[in-house]
Amino acid sequence: MMITPHDIDDFVMGFAFTEDIISSVSDLRHIKITAQPDGLRADVRVNAQALRKVLARTRRPIAGRTGCGICGADMESITNRKICSVTGREPDAGAIHKALENLRSHQVLNKGLGMLHAAAWCLPNGHIVHVREDVGRHNALDKLIGYGLRHQLDFTQGFCFLTSRCSYEMAAKAIAAGMSAVVSLSAPTALAVRTARAAGLVLFSPARTTGMYMVSPAPQN
């Protein structure tokens, strides 16, 4: 993975969960992070059930990366992936504006770099309580989800705010984590919108100080 070297334990947990390597926190037995000459190495131990599921899969042909689009898995596994349903809850417009106004101040790493994405978890009133940052938008979201799993965060009570656009993979990861709503700064892809609508995920995208648009569920005429 091309990844910012912070909160790696959270990333391992989140990525393993959203990529369906593990089904729950209890499936992951051990994570060991060690420094390497050219980066970091994560050694992960899972239980027997999770290992059997991984071994039964088609081998991944490409490495995970920070580029746009579908990353980290072959196309067949993506198109055949089963998307679960979630109970969507529409955030209050005032809460979204509050989170939008305060998001930059919570991007601690980005202050010195100016090129990192963030995934923030916001309470129903718009108060930002957890933020994870990374050069890759997928990685930032996986880190946030991993943190939430490790600390038993209720992803139905509040919404996720993304500084990036919402692609299919971002929507699928949010749905896998059981999130009820996602707000993103940039416009979504068509596949992300269809995925969100099919699962019941509330999606506001784009969301800016000048206005916001709810694309999922389908806008009412």
Side-chain angles (χ1 to χ4, degrees):
M1 303 298 297
M2 293 179 64
I3 190 169
T4 306
H6 299 81
D7 305 305
I8 301 300
D9 283 7
D10 288 340
F11 170 75
V12 171
M13 176 69 74
F15 181 82
F17 183 81
T18 61
E19 291 296 321
D20 197 31
I21 296 170
I22 62 172
S23 300
S24 67
V25 175
S26 61
D27 288 344
L28 206 161
R29 297 292 177 83
H30 178 72
I31 302 173
K32 182 180 179 182
I33 310 297
T34 55
Q36 301 290 305
D38 57 349
L40 299 171
R41 176 187 176 94
D43 289 301
V44 182
R45 179 175 295 179
V46 298
N47 63 16
Q49 181 178 354
L51 181 59
R52 284 194 294 269
K53 182 166 60 175
V54 172
L55 294 177
R57 287 183 173 184
T58 302
R59 183 176 178 271
R60 292 172 182 270
I62 59 174
R65 52 183 182 264
T66 60
C68 296
I70 295 172
C71 304
D74 59 280
M75 279 299 300
E76 185 178 359
S77 69
I78 288 293
T79 55
N80 293 335
R81 178 179 293 179
K82 183 179 180 181
I83 299 295
C84 58
S85 297
V86 295
T87 302
R89 291 186 173 87
E90 182 180 340
D92 179 75
I96 295 177
H97 279 294
K98 179 180 179 181
L100 181 59
E101 291 173 356
N102 294 299
L103 185 57
R104 292 295 182 190
S105 64
H106 285 77
Q107 291 182 253
V108 179
L109 295 177
N110 194 53
K111 288 180 181 178
L113 299 174
M115 45 78 78
L116 296 182
H117 289 299
W121 185 250
C122 310
L123 297 180
N125 63 2
H127 179 65
I128 299 172
V129 288
H130 305 294
V131 176
R132 288 293 180 267
E133 299 175 85
D134 199 273
V135 66
R137 55 195 171 91
H138 309 108
N139 299 342
L141 181 55
D142 275 330
K143 287 179 178 181
L144 179 66
I145 291 172
Y147 175 87
L149 293 172
R150 284 155 58 90
H151 294 83
Q152 299 181 322
L153 186 64
D154 186 354
F155 282 127
T156 67
Q157 301 301 312
F159 58 95
C160 178
F161 208 125
L162 305 172
T163 60
S164 63
R165 69 182 175 88
C166 185
S167 63
Y168 161 80
E169 238 185 352
M170 301 294 274
K173 287 177 182 292
I175 293 165
M179 292 182 178
S180 58
V182 170
V183 179
S184 68
L185 288 181
S186 299
T189 63
L191 183 54
V193 173
R194 293 197 298 271
T195 301
R197 288 177 178 174
L201 174 72
V202 172
L203 177 59
F204 276 87
S205 181
R208 304 188 179 106
T209 54
T210 54
M212 62 187 71
Y213 183 56
M214 185 170 72
V215 294
S216 175
Q220 299 296 315
N221 294 325

